[in-house]
Amino acid sequence: MTNSAVTATALRVARGGREVLRDVGFAIPRGSVTGLLGPSGCGKTTLLRAVVGVQAITGGAVEVLGRPAGHTALRHKIGYATQNPAVYADLTVAECLRYFAAVLGAGDVDQVLRDVDLLDHADHLVGTLSGGQRGRASLAVALLGSPELLVLDEPTVGLDPVLREDLWTLFHRLAATGTTLIVSSHVMDEAARCDRLLFLRDGRVLADDTPAGLRAETGEQDLEQAFLHLVRSAA
Ligand SMILES: Nc1ncnc2c1ncn2[C@@H]1O[C@H](COP(=O)(O)OP(=O)(O)O)[C@@H](O)[C@H]1O
Ligand SMILES: [Mg+2]
């Protein structure tokens, strides 16, 4: 078995008649936190959809946990939190989690609510939560059943710094137990928190490396500057 949780090879995706992922290749090691970083519209969500197996691709291949992306055997091994929270407004947080746990046939509702710091909001209607709380409820759904791969699309956007800090601690705690995480963000300030970085720009991979590797390659300490350096040298 390969040590990579996810590999993409010459991946191409067209959406709306336009190529939005072009010749994308990368390898994501198991038990790591990989940041998928790049500006809005660069293709992050499309790439995550391809990993989860819900995106039609026009070329290349994506392999996840040793299977082609989208394989039915992967269904219970992947947790996916979409960019827009996918939780029901007219259920309480606990009802919503219990519903998804029943669908999955697995999952410790109290544990995942504790993980995302929502235990004290368990009896609140999802519709009354703030945007950040709703995002965390959606993240809790993705954590149910302890999936081997967590695909999180901009999970920390709009959260206060203390909560963001807590979530990054959670991400690394999960990775330490062998879970593989892919976490997207359009802001660079979280790059240094990742074990590995996948820089995406205009549908192409600019870099697939560790923060230390990128600093060494570009001579820039600041990872946003490293990104800019790579953009300039690719031009
Ligand atoms: N449903 C869609 N139909 C057509 N084009 C889309 C659709 N969703 C996204 N796109 C386009 O694909 C490109 C990548 O989008 P996306 O993957 O959402 O980027 P990101 O998540 O990095 O903001 C953008 O140019 C966007 O306009
Ligand atoms: Mg997106």
Side-chain angles (χ1 to χ4, degrees):
M1 181 153 48
T2 149
N3 195 39
S4 293
V6 183
T7 56
T9 317
L11 172 64
R12 291 181 181 277
V13 172
R15 297 183 86 173
R18 222 172 54 80
E19 189 154 66
V20 299
L21 292 181
R22 317 162 189 227
D23 198 20
V24 164
F26 58 83
I28 291 177
R30 290 173 189 262
S32 65
V33 182
T34 295
L36 172 61
L37 301 182
S40 288
C42 72
K44 298 181 298 297
T45 294
T46 305
L47 179 52
L48 297 181
R49 285 165 47 88
V51 170
V52 172
V54 297
Q55 177 65 56
I57 68 177
T58 43
V62 184
E63 189 172 287
V64 179
L65 305 171
R67 309 258 192 189
H71 194 282
T72 49
L74 295 173
R75 201 173 289 161
H76 291 288
K77 296 185 173 181
I78 304 177
Y80 178 35
T82 54
Q83 189 166 353
N84 297 308
V87 277
Y88 299 119
D90 50 356
L91 297 183
T92 68
V93 173
E95 284 168 347
C96 197
L97 268 295
R98 283 200 294 270
Y99 168 75
F100 282 108
V103 170
L104 269 175
D108 181 338
V109 169
D110 279 1
Q111 180 59 50
V112 297
L113 286 178
R114 203 171 297 119
D115 283 342
V116 302
D117 196 26
L118 273 183
L119 208 47
D120 55 353
H121 285 72
D123 298 325
H124 293 218
L125 282 175
V126 169
T128 65
L129 300 178
S130 71
Q133 289 167 335
R134 212 170 312 176
R136 281 185 286 140
S138 191
L139 175 58
V141 173
L143 296 175
L144 283 170
S146 306
E148 285 178 47
L149 173 67
L150 273 168
V151 177
L152 309 177
D153 201 354
E154 310 228 13
T156 60
V157 166
L159 295 185
D160 92 39
V162 176
L163 275 171
R164 288 211 310 187
E165 179 81 25
D166 289 349
L167 282 187
W168 279 100
T169 303
L170 169 66
F171 297 162
H172 284 288
R173 181 154 56 79
L174 292 168
T177 66
T179 307
T180 306
L181 294 90
I182 312 178
V183 180
S184 79
S185 178
H186 69 273
V187 292
M188 283 289 165
D189 58 353
E190 295 183 307
R193 296 178 180 273
C194 302
D195 299 320
R196 293 190 65 86
L197 296 168
L198 199 56
F199 281 170
L200 202 61
R201 186 169 187 267
D202 199 17
R204 293 181 197 278
V205 173
L206 276 183
D208 173 17
D209 205 342
T210 60
L214 282 167
R215 290 187 179 108
E217 184 194 337
T218 61
E220 303 281 359
Q221 276 313 297
D222 180 76
L223 291 164
E224 179 148 18
Q225 291 303 319
F227 185 93
L228 288 171
H229 183 108
L230 293 167
V231 169
R232 284 192 216 101
S233 35

